[in-house]
Amino acid sequence: MNAVAPAGPLAPAAGPEPHRAHRNAGTDAPRHEHGDALDPAHAHAHADVWLSDVAAGYGQRVALEHVSLAVEPGSLLAVVGPNGAGKSTLLKLMAGLARPWTGRIEVLGQPPGREARRVAYVPQAELVDWAFPVTVEDVVAMGRFPRLGPVRRPGPDDRRAVRQALEQVGMAHHLQTQIGRLSGGQRRRVFLARALAAEPDLFLLDEPVTGIDPTTQELLMGLLEAQAARGKTVVATTHDLAAAAEHFHQVLAVNRTVIAYGPSNLVLDADVLARAYGGHLLVLGGQTVLLDDAHHHDEAAPGERHFHDGSGAGR
Amino acid sequence: MNLVLEPLAYGFFLRALAASALVSLVTAVVGTYVVLRGVAFLGDAISHAAFPGVVVAYLVGFPFYLGAAVAAVGTALAIGYVSKRGGLRQDTAIGVLFAGAFALGVFLFSTIKGYVADLFSFLFGQVLAISPADLVGLVVLGVAVIAVVAALWKELLYATFDPLGAAASGIAVERLEYLFLGLVALTIVVSLQAVGIILVVAMLITPAATAQLVTARFTRLMLGAAVIGVVTAVAGLYISYWLDVASGATIVLAQTATFALVLGYQRLAHALRPSPVAPEAEA
């Protein structure tokens, strides 16, 4: 629906990656035909995100183990699982924010962090200090900072990219609003706009649609689908199984390790979910009900400050 | 009028005026980040940790700036390292390091026989006694700190607001953390002669805290802190001259009074507002 024109020159100066040609191959991508028989070397060579037998955690606590995974370019992937299943940790590993204990990870063909300027990461809402004195425009402009580098100030191109991103998420009229004054859905929109303004090849989004109204959810998912259709890769954690089934092409169910990975309709069946969620799941006449608080999130990693609304946002 | 112009005839007052204005500018700029990070305790710790450096510099006859800078920057980096690698919370690491460093300073100080006015002035500041050479050193350090912030304000802002998002997109957040600690340390060294070890934290925190009461925009916050800092420092220096009282303490009192006035005005305006209109955004 959105004919999204990049703000800068149409093709990145570095030239499109060789596998980019696959990206717009069509709606039913050939990648699932192979299923588990997919040649690992082939998967590795063509993946935007690749993990091989990865284990990770905090201190003594194991969060993930034996995780192997290849995410192809143009994927729209939901990571689902109960609280403490390691969803956020997995995202942080991909973002280079956490290091694996064992195993190998490659992101955009490099070790995590090496291609950081092509990655946009959006943290959980609880990790953001909403009382911080920045406006909507300031936050979205941050998406442009890494490419600018030190000393250089944001120029006309950057301002255009910021405005365009805010128009896409429908927040252009809130440029000067302090972020703490926004509703939960508006805050998520602004952070997605920051990611869009960065024009990344890989989106890593921690709970982008948690606790927001259906209209905003539709809007954000539409934008992410458009990005995936352009060959960008989107990996998002979510508690919302309905949203995962409806909007994401693929689902990765995790609970300390990979429970299932594949097209959403195959992964989100009762058996797989029961394994992923244990006793937190109820299947009622074909309807799956998740007995899980959507506002919970994974435990704070050491050193992380959590900000909850009402405590500091409004003064 | 005469009251304002008369002291300007003295070289020492002009130097003190320049030093106070510069110090309050540098502390306001760096203090903005200190307030936004919520690490006021850090400023207090680093300033106390500078004390042993000053004493040692005095004992071996080095310029006090050198000793203070080595001790302050060293402590700042140690705080960063211990809280990152030692598995301790940062406030715990700070508590351990700064009390130990300050005790070392007091210990060394007590080995000096006789009355040492120079050292005592570092505890509470003596800006009216600043020498031309010290002023030059202060200007060089102060300009260096401002230049670094001017070059990296974007990165510092992003890393302060959203360290995870910044790090994931290629901002060197960990290196910026150490750089920030170093900047706080140098800022404190610059401020030592103006307000002294005990009061320097007020210069870092109070102007930015006052500005935060009136604006929710980052650029205005930093600008406001700078204006408030410089105006109160100049006013405080004049008042201390007229009343012949301690200059550092008067400057800090002027800043505290400004904070209290702004806060009081806001509370009063809030209480007198006709109907409680919540500033909620429309959905």
Side-chain angles (χ1 to χ4, degrees):
Chain A
M1 59 170 212
N2 282 310
V4 191
L10 273 171
E17 311 82 283
H19 57 234
R20 210 17 98 60
H22 290 254
R23 292 194 172 193
N24 298 320
T27 43
D28 45 350
R31 52 182 172 264
H32 307 309
E33 290 169 10
H34 310 288
D36 291 334
L38 192 70
D39 172 21
H42 177 88
H44 182 187
H46 289 262
D48 261 4
V49 180
W50 178 81
L51 287 83
S52 173
D53 198 20
V54 165
Y58 303 100
Q60 300 291 314
R61 199 169 60 84
V62 181
L64 289 169
E65 53 190 356
H66 304 303
V67 175
S68 294
L69 185 68
V71 184
E72 294 208 357
S75 296
L76 182 57
L77 172 66
V79 181
V80 303
N83 291 324
K87 299 190 296 289
S88 292
T89 307
L90 184 60
L91 221 57
K92 282 185 187 147
L93 289 169
M94 294 176 182
L97 297 170
R99 292 214 185 101
W101 290 348
T102 58
R104 282 182 61 205
I105 305 179
E106 282 184 16
V107 174
L108 301 169
Q110 298 286 334
R114 190 74 58 80
E115 293 289 332
R117 283 178 195 178
R118 292 168 59 201
V119 176
Y121 171 86
V122 173
Q124 290 174 23
E126 287 83 2
L127 294 179
V128 176
D129 176 5
W130 297 105
F132 202 94
V134 281
T135 61
V136 166
E137 186 180 22
D138 295 335
V139 171
V140 180
M142 288 176 194
R144 307 291 295 180
F145 287 177
R147 67 169 60 208
L148 280 170
V151 182
R152 269 174 68 196
R153 296 169 53 85
D157 276 358
D158 303 301
R159 277 192 285 278
R160 200 177 315 120
V162 167
R163 199 155 332 113
Q164 223 167 46
L166 279 169
E167 273 162 17
Q168 286 187 57
V169 301
M171 290 291 290
H173 54 296
H174 275 295
L175 271 185
Q176 304 300 326
T177 309
Q178 195 268 331
I179 49 159
R181 301 199 159 201
L182 303 174
S183 70
Q186 289 174 322
R187 294 172 181 184
R188 298 277 85 190
R189 292 194 206 194
V190 170
F191 270 73
L192 184 63
R194 186 182 81 186
L196 291 169
E199 299 175 45
D201 291 321
L202 173 63
F203 291 81
L204 299 173
L205 314 170
D206 209 348
E207 303 285 351
V209 293
T210 298
I212 62 176
D213 58 288
T215 319
T216 306
Q217 217 178 80
E218 291 285 329
L219 173 87
L220 298 190
M221 287 313 305
L223 288 168
L224 293 177
E225 268 187 274
Q227 291 293 323
R230 289 177 60 207
K232 312 292 185 185
T233 304
V234 179
V235 181
T237 63
T238 182
H239 276 83
D240 191 339
L241 292 179
E246 194 183 337
H247 296 292
F248 287 84
H249 301 156
Q250 289 153 289
V251 168
L252 172 73
V254 292
N255 196 355
R256 218 164 117 147
T257 190
V258 175
I259 303 291
Y261 176 34
S264 3
N265 57 332
L266 292 185
V267 171
L268 292 176
D269 78 1
D271 267 4
V272 168
L273 291 175
R275 272 195 289 147
Y277 283 88
H280 300 287
L281 205 72
L282 198 64
V283 183
L284 293 171
Q287 280 277 21
T288 306
V289 182
L290 180 60
L291 304 177
D292 201 25
D293 183 356
H295 291 282
H296 275 181
H297 45 84
D298 290 351
E299 273 176 59
E304 277 182 3
R305 285 202 291 173
H306 279 215
F307 300 89
H308 287 276
D309 235 353
S311 55
R315 230 171 307 124
Chain B
M1 200 61 200
N2 224 14
L3 227 48
V4 175
L5 292 180
E6 183 243 298
L8 295 179
Y10 302 108
F12 73 87
F13 189 85
L14 281 175
R15 283 198 299 277
L17 201 64
S20 305
L22 181 78
V23 162
S24 53
L25 184 71
V26 177
T27 48
V29 167
V30 174
T32 301
Y33 291 104
V34 173
V35 166
L36 290 180
R37 281 170 181 247
V39 290
F41 191 40
L42 191 74
D44 214 12
I46 295 175
S47 62
H48 282 74
F51 189 41
V54 175
V55 179
V56 169
Y58 180 85
L59 287 174
V60 299
F62 277 17
F64 81 93
Y65 278 125
L66 210 63
V70 169
V73 174
T75 308
L77 298 185
I79 288 170
Y81 184 80
V82 171
S83 58
K84 276 232 155 52
R85 313 278 171 205
L88 290 172
R89 284 169 50 101
Q90 197 178 37
D91 64 339
T92 310
I94 290 171
V96 170
L97 285 169
F98 108 82
F102 191 61
L104 179 65
V106 175
F107 176 85
L108 292 172
F109 184 66
S110 67
T111 65
I112 303 170
K113 304 300 171 208
Y115 180 63
V116 192
D118 280 333
L119 282 173
F120 200 74
S121 74
F122 281 110
L123 290 181
F124 295 104
Q126 189 43 277
V127 73
L128 288 168
I130 194 166
S131 70
D134 282 350
L135 183 61
V136 170
L138 192 148
V139 168
V140 170
L141 271 180
V143 168
V145 169
I146 298 271
V148 171
V149 175
L152 293 171
W153 69 270
K154 298 194 307 292
E155 287 74 12
L156 284 167
L157 174 64
Y158 197 174
T160 304
F161 173 61
D162 179 6
L164 293 178
S169 65
I171 306 259
V173 170
E174 191 164 325
R175 261 180 279 165
L176 281 175
E177 174 78 14
Y178 283 109
L179 180 81
F180 169 72
L181 290 169
L183 286 175
V184 173
L186 286 182
T187 302
I188 284 164
V189 171
V190 167
S191 321
L192 280 188
Q193 187 145 13
V195 287
I197 285 163
I198 310 287
L199 296 176
V200 68
V201 69
M203 298 281 287
L204 273 176
I205 305 304
T206 312
T210 310
Q212 208 178 10
L213 291 174
V214 292
T215 182
R217 299 210 55 180
F218 176 76
T219 39
R220 286 186 205 166
L221 175 59
M222 191 178 271
L223 219 72
V227 170
I228 292 167
V230 172
V231 169
T232 50
V234 170
L237 188 68
Y238 266 106
I239 293 169
S240 77
Y241 178 84
W242 294 328
L243 303 180
D244 193 18
V245 289
S247 53
T250 314
I251 288 172
V252 169
L253 278 178
Q255 299 188 331
T256 313
T258 308
F259 177 83
L261 279 176
V262 172
L263 185 67
Y265 173 79
Q266 277 202 329
R267 287 294 133 96
L268 196 68
H270 188 76
L272 294 180
R273 208 168 291 166
S275 66
V277 183
E280 276 306 306
E282 66 276 26

